[in-house]
Amino acid sequence: QGIIECRLVRSFIDCYRTRRKQNRFIQKTGIQAIVTESFVRFPDCFECGQDMESRTDLRMNLKLYGAVFVIFACTATGFYLSVSMREEVKHLRDLVKIINFMECELSYRLTPLASLCRLSAEQGESLKEVFLFFAEELDRQISPDAESCMDVALTQIRGVSQCVTTFLHELGTSFGKFDLQGQISEIKLVKERCIRSLNALETCIDLRSRNCQTIGFCIGIAMTIILL
């Protein structure tokens, strides 16, 4: 009987210590857990001997979610490239219209450059901000240099392709370094290069656009197969 009483007292002491450990753990972390003498066990975690079916389902669900995300990301990238090419075509068309307007204004009206840029901004909606910034920079500087003013304007604008940026820079360099006829000749050269680039893009824009969309989707499927 004495031995039984000792065992009961020891069990009571162990239970009391375990409960104190559990209370301390909950107070410090706010996480519900089951504390035994040797370790802390979380009720929601997997244990030795537990059925692995739920864990397998969870892993498969994560793979499926990842596959959907990869396909969506690659397809979206393809559509983004397709839209970017169409935007480049639109920018080149507007730039050709603006250069034609500038050529006429310089040939017949001798409009000052800052005012010419503001008038030209109304001719091409997609490049309107570039020429407005260009005009503001020309008015701000005491001795304006058209090339540096155009470079400053280009740094303020986002979404213009590298090809169109190059043509805009060349257009900026054509002002202020030659006489009137020389400037008009330089503008015509820039316009001819723009037209050649525009024609090259327009001849295959639909095919290249579809190719970008298809390739993006196919890359997503291929990456999904590899990852799964």
Short mmCIF file of all heavy atoms in Angstrom, two decimals, residues 96-146:
data_model
loop_
_atom_site.label_atom_id
_atom_site.label_comp_id
_atom_site.label_asym_id
_atom_site.label_seq_id
_atom_site.Cartn_x
_atom_site.Cartn_y
_atom_site.Cartn_z
N VAL A 96 6.16 59.39 -86.66
CA VAL A 96 6.17 59.80 -88.07
C VAL A 96 5.22 60.97 -88.28
O VAL A 96 5.55 61.94 -89.00
CB VAL A 96 5.79 58.60 -88.96
CG1 VAL A 96 5.59 59.06 -90.41
CG2 VAL A 96 6.88 57.53 -88.91
N LYS A 97 4.05 60.94 -87.67
CA LYS A 97 3.11 62.06 -87.79
C LYS A 97 3.71 63.33 -87.19
O LYS A 97 3.58 64.42 -87.77
CB LYS A 97 1.81 61.70 -87.06
CG LYS A 97 0.97 60.65 -87.76
CD LYS A 97 -0.18 60.19 -86.88
CE LYS A 97 -1.07 61.32 -86.45
NZ LYS A 97 -2.20 60.84 -85.61
N ILE A 98 4.37 63.22 -86.05
CA ILE A 98 4.97 64.39 -85.41
C ILE A 98 6.08 64.97 -86.26
O ILE A 98 6.19 66.20 -86.43
CB ILE A 98 5.48 64.00 -84.01
CG1 ILE A 98 4.30 63.76 -83.06
CG2 ILE A 98 6.39 65.09 -83.43
CD1 ILE A 98 4.69 63.20 -81.73
N ILE A 99 6.92 64.10 -86.83
CA ILE A 99 8.03 64.59 -87.66
C ILE A 99 7.49 65.28 -88.92
O ILE A 99 8.03 66.32 -89.35
CB ILE A 99 8.97 63.43 -88.01
CG1 ILE A 99 9.68 62.94 -86.75
CG2 ILE A 99 10.01 63.87 -89.04
CD1 ILE A 99 10.56 61.74 -86.96
N ASN A 100 6.43 64.74 -89.51
CA ASN A 100 5.82 65.41 -90.68
C ASN A 100 5.31 66.80 -90.30
O ASN A 100 5.48 67.77 -91.06
CB ASN A 100 4.67 64.55 -91.21
CG ASN A 100 5.15 63.35 -91.99
OD1 ASN A 100 6.22 63.37 -92.60
ND2 ASN A 100 4.37 62.27 -91.97
N PHE A 101 4.69 66.90 -89.13
CA PHE A 101 4.18 68.20 -88.69
C PHE A 101 5.34 69.16 -88.45
O PHE A 101 5.26 70.34 -88.84
CB PHE A 101 3.36 68.01 -87.42
CG PHE A 101 2.83 69.28 -86.83
CD1 PHE A 101 1.70 69.89 -87.37
CD2 PHE A 101 3.47 69.88 -85.75
CE1 PHE A 101 1.22 71.07 -86.83
CE2 PHE A 101 3.00 71.06 -85.21
CZ PHE A 101 1.86 71.66 -85.76
N MET A 102 6.40 68.70 -87.79
CA MET A 102 7.56 69.56 -87.54
C MET A 102 8.19 70.04 -88.85
O MET A 102 8.60 71.21 -88.97
CB MET A 102 8.59 68.81 -86.71
CG MET A 102 8.25 68.66 -85.25
SD MET A 102 9.62 67.87 -84.35
CE MET A 102 9.15 68.27 -82.66
N GLU A 103 8.28 69.13 -89.79
CA GLU A 103 8.88 69.49 -91.08
C GLU A 103 8.09 70.61 -91.76
O GLU A 103 8.67 71.58 -92.29
CB GLU A 103 8.93 68.24 -91.96
CG GLU A 103 9.65 68.45 -93.28
CD GLU A 103 9.68 67.18 -94.10
OE1 GLU A 103 9.37 66.09 -93.56
OE2 GLU A 103 10.01 67.28 -95.31
N CYS A 104 6.78 70.51 -91.74
CA CYS A 104 5.95 71.56 -92.35
C CYS A 104 6.06 72.88 -91.60
O CYS A 104 6.17 73.95 -92.22
CB CYS A 104 4.50 71.10 -92.39
SG CYS A 104 4.18 69.70 -93.48
N GLU A 105 6.06 72.82 -90.28
CA GLU A 105 6.14 74.04 -89.49
C GLU A 105 7.47 74.76 -89.69
O GLU A 105 7.52 75.99 -89.81
CB GLU A 105 5.94 73.71 -88.01
CG GLU A 105 4.53 73.34 -87.62
CD GLU A 105 3.60 74.54 -87.68
OE1 GLU A 105 4.00 75.62 -87.21
OE2 GLU A 105 2.47 74.39 -88.18
N LEU A 106 8.55 74.00 -89.72
CA LEU A 106 9.86 74.63 -89.91
C LEU A 106 10.02 75.17 -91.33
O LEU A 106 10.72 76.17 -91.55
CB LEU A 106 10.98 73.62 -89.61
CG LEU A 106 11.15 73.23 -88.15
CD1 LEU A 106 12.19 72.13 -88.01
CD2 LEU A 106 11.57 74.44 -87.31
N SER A 107 9.41 74.53 -92.29
CA SER A 107 9.58 74.96 -93.68
C SER A 107 8.79 76.22 -94.00
O SER A 107 9.26 77.06 -94.78
CB SER A 107 9.14 73.82 -94.63
OG SER A 107 9.93 72.68 -94.43
N TYR A 108 7.62 76.41 -93.38
CA TYR A 108 6.73 77.48 -93.82
C TYR A 108 6.43 78.54 -92.75
O TYR A 108 6.08 79.67 -93.08
CB TYR A 108 5.40 76.90 -94.31
CG TYR A 108 5.58 75.95 -95.47
CD1 TYR A 108 5.42 74.58 -95.28
CD2 TYR A 108 5.91 76.41 -96.73
CE1 TYR A 108 5.59 73.69 -96.33
CE2 TYR A 108 6.08 75.52 -97.79
CZ TYR A 108 5.92 74.16 -97.59
OH TYR A 108 6.09 73.30 -98.63
N ARG A 109 6.59 78.18 -91.46
CA ARG A 109 6.19 79.13 -90.42
C ARG A 109 7.34 79.53 -89.49
O ARG A 109 7.21 80.48 -88.74
CB ARG A 109 5.06 78.54 -89.59
CG ARG A 109 3.79 78.29 -90.39
CD ARG A 109 2.66 77.82 -89.51
NE ARG A 109 2.35 78.79 -88.47
CZ ARG A 109 1.43 78.61 -87.52
NH1 ARG A 109 0.76 77.47 -87.48
NH2 ARG A 109 1.19 79.54 -86.62
N LEU A 110 8.44 78.81 -89.50
CA LEU A 110 9.60 79.10 -88.64
C LEU A 110 9.19 79.21 -87.17
O LEU A 110 9.57 80.14 -86.45
CB LEU A 110 10.28 80.40 -89.10
CG LEU A 110 10.84 80.40 -90.54
CD1 LEU A 110 11.42 81.76 -90.87
CD2 LEU A 110 11.89 79.31 -90.70
N THR A 111 8.42 78.27 -86.70
CA THR A 111 7.94 78.27 -85.31
C THR A 111 9.10 78.00 -84.36
O THR A 111 9.93 77.13 -84.61
CB THR A 111 6.87 77.17 -85.13
OG1 THR A 111 5.87 77.34 -86.13
CG2 THR A 111 6.25 77.25 -83.75
N PRO A 112 9.21 78.77 -83.24
CA PRO A 112 10.26 78.48 -82.25
C PRO A 112 10.17 77.04 -81.74
O PRO A 112 9.08 76.44 -81.68
CB PRO A 112 9.97 79.49 -81.13
CG PRO A 112 9.23 80.59 -81.82
CD PRO A 112 8.42 79.95 -82.90
N LEU A 113 11.31 76.49 -81.35
CA LEU A 113 11.38 75.06 -81.05
C LEU A 113 10.48 74.67 -79.89
O LEU A 113 9.78 73.65 -79.95
CB LEU A 113 12.84 74.66 -80.75
CG LEU A 113 13.09 73.17 -80.51
CD1 LEU A 113 12.58 72.35 -81.68
CD2 LEU A 113 14.57 72.92 -80.27
N ALA A 114 10.48 75.43 -78.80
CA ALA A 114 9.64 75.08 -77.65
C ALA A 114 8.16 75.08 -78.02
O ALA A 114 7.41 74.16 -77.67
CB ALA A 114 9.90 76.04 -76.49
N SER A 115 7.73 76.11 -78.74
CA SER A 115 6.34 76.17 -79.19
C SER A 115 6.03 75.05 -80.19
O SER A 115 4.94 74.47 -80.18
CB SER A 115 6.04 77.53 -79.83
OG SER A 115 6.27 78.58 -78.91
N LEU A 116 7.02 74.75 -81.03
CA LEU A 116 6.85 73.67 -82.00
C LEU A 116 6.63 72.32 -81.30
O LEU A 116 5.79 71.52 -81.73
CB LEU A 116 8.08 73.60 -82.91
CG LEU A 116 8.10 72.49 -83.95
CD1 LEU A 116 6.94 72.63 -84.92
CD2 LEU A 116 9.43 72.49 -84.70
N CYS A 117 7.35 72.09 -80.21
CA CYS A 117 7.20 70.83 -79.47
C CYS A 117 5.82 70.74 -78.82
O CYS A 117 5.21 69.67 -78.80
CB CYS A 117 8.29 70.72 -78.41
SG CYS A 117 9.94 70.47 -79.10
N ARG A 118 5.33 71.86 -78.32
CA ARG A 118 3.99 71.84 -77.70
C ARG A 118 2.91 71.57 -78.75
O ARG A 118 1.94 70.84 -78.51
CB ARG A 118 3.72 73.15 -76.98
CG ARG A 118 4.55 73.32 -75.72
CD ARG A 118 4.09 74.53 -74.91
NE ARG A 118 4.83 74.62 -73.67
CZ ARG A 118 5.98 75.26 -73.52
NH1 ARG A 118 6.52 75.89 -74.57
NH2 ARG A 118 6.59 75.30 -72.36
N LEU A 119 3.07 72.17 -79.93
CA LEU A 119 2.10 71.91 -81.00
C LEU A 119 2.22 70.47 -81.50
O LEU A 119 1.21 69.83 -81.82
CB LEU A 119 2.34 72.89 -82.15
CG LEU A 119 2.05 74.37 -81.86
CD1 LEU A 119 2.48 75.24 -83.04
CD2 LEU A 119 0.56 74.57 -81.57
N SER A 120 3.45 69.97 -81.55
CA SER A 120 3.66 68.60 -82.04
C SER A 120 3.10 67.56 -81.08
O SER A 120 2.72 66.47 -81.50
CB SER A 120 5.17 68.34 -82.25
OG SER A 120 5.70 69.26 -83.18
N ALA A 121 3.07 67.89 -79.79
CA ALA A 121 2.56 66.94 -78.80
C ALA A 121 1.11 66.58 -79.06
O ALA A 121 0.65 65.49 -78.69
CB ALA A 121 2.71 67.53 -77.39
N GLU A 122 0.37 67.50 -79.71
CA GLU A 122 -1.03 67.23 -80.00
C GLU A 122 -1.21 66.29 -81.18
O GLU A 122 -2.31 65.78 -81.40
CB GLU A 122 -1.77 68.55 -80.28
CG GLU A 122 -1.67 69.56 -79.15
CD GLU A 122 -2.28 69.04 -77.86
OE1 GLU A 122 -3.27 68.27 -77.94
OE2 GLU A 122 -1.77 69.40 -76.78
N GLN A 123 -0.14 66.04 -81.94
CA GLN A 123 -0.25 65.20 -83.12
C GLN A 123 -0.11 63.71 -82.82
O GLN A 123 -0.57 62.88 -83.60
CB GLN A 123 0.82 65.61 -84.16
CG GLN A 123 0.82 67.08 -84.52
CD GLN A 123 -0.51 67.53 -85.09
OE1 GLN A 123 -1.08 66.86 -85.95
NE2 GLN A 123 -0.99 68.69 -84.63
N GLY A 124 0.56 63.39 -81.71
CA GLY A 124 0.76 61.99 -81.36
C GLY A 124 0.44 61.75 -79.90
O GLY A 124 1.21 62.16 -79.01
N GLU A 125 -0.68 61.13 -79.62
CA GLU A 125 -1.14 60.98 -78.24
C GLU A 125 -0.21 60.12 -77.41
O GLU A 125 0.03 60.41 -76.23
CB GLU A 125 -2.55 60.37 -78.24
CG GLU A 125 -3.23 60.36 -76.88
CD GLU A 125 -3.53 61.75 -76.38
OE1 GLU A 125 -3.71 62.66 -77.22
OE2 GLU A 125 -3.57 61.93 -75.14
N SER A 126 0.36 59.08 -77.99
CA SER A 126 1.20 58.16 -77.21
C SER A 126 2.54 58.78 -76.83
O SER A 126 3.16 58.35 -75.86
CB SER A 126 1.44 56.87 -78.00
OG SER A 126 2.15 57.15 -79.20
N LEU A 127 3.00 59.80 -77.57
CA LEU A 127 4.28 60.47 -77.27
C LEU A 127 4.07 61.90 -76.80
O LEU A 127 5.01 62.70 -76.79
CB LEU A 127 5.18 60.46 -78.51
CG LEU A 127 5.59 59.07 -79.03
CD1 LEU A 127 6.38 59.20 -80.32
CD2 LEU A 127 6.41 58.33 -77.99
N LYS A 128 2.87 62.23 -76.40
CA LYS A 128 2.55 63.60 -76.00
C LYS A 128 3.40 64.06 -74.83
O LYS A 128 3.95 65.17 -74.84
CB LYS A 128 1.07 63.68 -75.65
CG LYS A 128 0.60 65.07 -75.25
CD LYS A 128 -0.90 65.07 -74.99
CE LYS A 128 -1.40 66.46 -74.62
NZ LYS A 128 -2.87 66.47 -74.40
N GLU A 129 3.54 63.22 -73.81
CA GLU A 129 4.28 63.61 -72.61
C GLU A 129 5.76 63.86 -72.92
O GLU A 129 6.38 64.73 -72.32
CB GLU A 129 4.13 62.55 -71.53
CG GLU A 129 2.72 62.42 -70.99
CD GLU A 129 2.64 61.42 -69.86
OE1 GLU A 129 3.69 60.83 -69.51
OE2 GLU A 129 1.55 61.23 -69.30
N VAL A 130 6.33 63.09 -73.83
CA VAL A 130 7.75 63.27 -74.18
C VAL A 130 7.98 64.67 -74.71
O VAL A 130 8.91 65.39 -74.27
CB VAL A 130 8.18 62.22 -75.22
CG1 VAL A 130 9.63 62.46 -75.63
CG2 VAL A 130 8.03 60.82 -74.66
N PHE A 131 7.15 65.12 -75.64
CA PHE A 131 7.38 66.43 -76.25
C PHE A 131 6.98 67.57 -75.32
O PHE A 131 7.56 68.67 -75.40
CB PHE A 131 6.63 66.51 -77.59
CG PHE A 131 7.30 65.74 -78.68
CD1 PHE A 131 6.99 64.40 -78.91
CD2 PHE A 131 8.27 66.33 -79.46
CE1 PHE A 131 7.63 63.69 -79.90
CE2 PHE A 131 8.92 65.62 -80.46
CZ PHE A 131 8.59 64.29 -80.67
N LEU A 132 6.05 67.35 -74.42
CA LEU A 132 5.74 68.37 -73.43
C LEU A 132 6.89 68.55 -72.46
O LEU A 132 7.26 69.68 -72.10
CB LEU A 132 4.45 68.01 -72.69
CG LEU A 132 3.15 68.11 -73.50
CD1 LEU A 132 1.96 67.69 -72.66
CD2 LEU A 132 2.96 69.53 -74.03
N PHE A 133 7.48 67.43 -72.00
CA PHE A 133 8.67 67.53 -71.15
C PHE A 133 9.83 68.18 -71.89
O PHE A 133 10.60 68.96 -71.31
CB PHE A 133 9.08 66.14 -70.66
CG PHE A 133 8.34 65.67 -69.44
CD1 PHE A 133 7.54 64.55 -69.48
CD2 PHE A 133 8.46 66.35 -68.23
CE1 PHE A 133 6.84 64.11 -68.36
CE2 PHE A 133 7.77 65.93 -67.10
CZ PHE A 133 6.97 64.80 -67.17
N PHE A 134 9.97 67.86 -73.16
CA PHE A 134 11.02 68.46 -73.99
C PHE A 134 10.85 69.97 -74.07
O PHE A 134 11.82 70.74 -73.91
CB PHE A 134 10.95 67.81 -75.38
CG PHE A 134 12.05 68.23 -76.31
CD1 PHE A 134 13.31 68.57 -75.85
CD2 PHE A 134 11.82 68.28 -77.68
CE1 PHE A 134 14.33 68.95 -76.73
CE2 PHE A 134 12.82 68.66 -78.56
CZ PHE A 134 14.07 69.00 -78.09
N ALA A 135 9.62 70.44 -74.29
CA ALA A 135 9.36 71.88 -74.36
C ALA A 135 9.62 72.56 -73.02
O ALA A 135 10.20 73.66 -72.96
CB ALA A 135 7.92 72.12 -74.81
N GLU A 136 9.20 71.92 -71.92
CA GLU A 136 9.44 72.50 -70.60
C GLU A 136 10.93 72.62 -70.31
O GLU A 136 11.39 73.63 -69.74
CB GLU A 136 8.77 71.64 -69.53
CG GLU A 136 7.25 71.71 -69.56
CD GLU A 136 6.63 70.80 -68.53
OE1 GLU A 136 7.41 70.17 -67.76
OE2 GLU A 136 5.38 70.70 -68.48
N GLU A 137 11.69 71.61 -70.70
CA GLU A 137 13.13 71.67 -70.46
C GLU A 137 13.80 72.74 -71.31
O GLU A 137 14.74 73.41 -70.87
CB GLU A 137 13.74 70.30 -70.75
CG GLU A 137 15.15 70.09 -70.23
CD GLU A 137 15.23 70.12 -68.72
OE1 GLU A 137 14.21 69.85 -68.06
OE2 GLU A 137 16.33 70.43 -68.20
N LEU A 138 13.32 72.94 -72.54
CA LEU A 138 13.86 74.01 -73.38
C LEU A 138 13.58 75.38 -72.78
O LEU A 138 14.44 76.29 -72.84
CB LEU A 138 13.24 73.92 -74.79
CG LEU A 138 13.70 72.76 -75.67
CD1 LEU A 138 12.83 72.67 -76.91
CD2 LEU A 138 15.16 72.92 -76.07
N ASP A 139 12.40 75.58 -72.20
CA ASP A 139 12.07 76.86 -71.57
C ASP A 139 12.83 77.06 -70.27
O ASP A 139 13.14 78.20 -69.89
CB ASP A 139 10.56 76.94 -71.29
CG ASP A 139 9.75 77.07 -72.56
OD1 ASP A 139 10.31 77.55 -73.57
OD2 ASP A 139 8.56 76.67 -72.56
N ARG A 140 13.15 75.98 -69.57
CA ARG A 140 13.79 76.11 -68.25
C ARG A 140 15.25 76.49 -68.36
O ARG A 140 15.76 77.28 -67.54
CB ARG A 140 13.65 74.78 -67.49
CG ARG A 140 14.07 74.84 -66.03
CD ARG A 140 13.93 73.50 -65.37
NE ARG A 140 14.82 72.52 -65.96
CZ ARG A 140 16.11 72.40 -65.62
NH1 ARG A 140 16.65 73.21 -64.72
NH2 ARG A 140 16.87 71.48 -66.19
N GLN A 141 15.95 75.96 -69.35
CA GLN A 141 17.38 76.23 -69.48
C GLN A 141 17.62 77.60 -70.11
O GLN A 141 16.89 78.04 -71.00
CB GLN A 141 18.05 75.15 -70.32
CG GLN A 141 18.04 73.77 -69.68
CD GLN A 141 18.85 72.76 -70.47
OE1 GLN A 141 19.57 73.12 -71.38
NE2 GLN A 141 18.73 71.50 -70.10
N ILE A 142 18.69 78.26 -69.63
CA ILE A 142 19.03 79.59 -70.15
C ILE A 142 19.58 79.49 -71.57
O ILE A 142 19.18 80.23 -72.47
CB ILE A 142 20.06 80.27 -69.22
CG1 ILE A 142 19.46 80.46 -67.82
CG2 ILE A 142 20.49 81.61 -69.81
CD1 ILE A 142 20.43 81.02 -66.82
N SER A 143 20.52 78.60 -71.77
CA SER A 143 21.06 78.34 -73.11
C SER A 143 20.75 76.88 -73.45
O SER A 143 21.59 75.99 -73.26
CB SER A 143 22.57 78.60 -73.15
OG SER A 143 22.84 79.95 -72.84
N PRO A 144 19.56 76.61 -73.91
CA PRO A 144 19.13 75.21 -74.06
C PRO A 144 19.89 74.48 -75.16
O PRO A 144 20.15 75.03 -76.24
CB PRO A 144 17.65 75.34 -74.40
CG PRO A 144 17.51 76.68 -75.00
CD PRO A 144 18.52 77.55 -74.33
N ASP A 145 20.27 73.26 -74.86
CA ASP A 145 20.83 72.35 -75.84
C ASP A 145 19.77 71.28 -76.11
O ASP A 145 19.36 70.56 -75.19
CB ASP A 145 22.11 71.72 -75.32
CG ASP A 145 22.67 70.69 -76.27
OD1 ASP A 145 22.98 71.04 -77.42
OD2 ASP A 145 22.78 69.51 -75.86
N ALA A 146 19.33 71.19 -77.35
CA ALA A 146 18.19 70.32 -77.67
C ALA A 146 18.48 68.86 -77.36
O ALA A 146 17.61 68.13 -76.87
CB ALA A 146 17.82 70.49 -79.15
#
